[in-house]
Amino acid sequence: MLNLYLAPRGFRAPMPADTAVTALTDYLVHEGIVGAFADGAYSPGNAVTRLFHADALDSHVPAEVTFDALRIVSVPRARFLPELRPPGTIRAACGECGDQLASDEIEESLARLRFLPPERVSVTCPACRAVLGVRNLEFEHPVSYARFWIYIEGAGLSRLNLHLVERLGRLLGLTLAVVVEVPQEAVEDWVPARRALKRR
């Protein structure tokens, strides 16, 4: 299972207005994508499959085309997303020369983002010696640095209906990116299986 963030694209997205967030939740409820609200999260609605790409049911059983919980998250200080990433899974290249950067240096920089704004966090490229701010890194997969996002926990697949994502972004007044998070336990379950296959 995956966790998905619908987060603002870029590093300087404004907070959406309260009226925009209300419009978003009203839309999700009205369209049947989410159901009951309890303990700070929405359950899947009767039309939850509309959240995913139209061909999802061609390759997945209906029980996989859903999620466990959907939360609207707002925090006082911006965070780097995805949050629950296993060490070494975020890869980035130098924005100047394109050379791949060491994953431990990337992790150290991202850890500093918990305490410092992006302007004060940098990485030195070992190839061209350019001093790169976080915004000058070319990440392998979509990431975000945000104070607001939609968190979809326990999704069966990452292919969302992009027309719906765009619609949600318009309601919020933001351009949204789909940021995929593979929780640690899922990686730990998958890696021994790969090792067992290699030994055969």
Side-chain angles (χ1 to χ4, degrees), residues 8 24 32 42 49 60 67 76 94 98 105 123 125 199:
L24 170 87
Y42 290 92
T49 56
H60 295 78
F67 58 81
C94 172
E105 281 192 61
V123 180
C125 173
R199 283 198 296 266

Side-chain angles (χ1 to χ4, degrees), residues 3 84-87 89 181-190:
N3 298 329
L84 301 178
R85 60 190 183 275
T89 56
E181 175 178 81
V182 182
Q184 181 75 43
E185 60 270 19
V187 172
E188 288 174 350
D189 290 344
W190 176 75

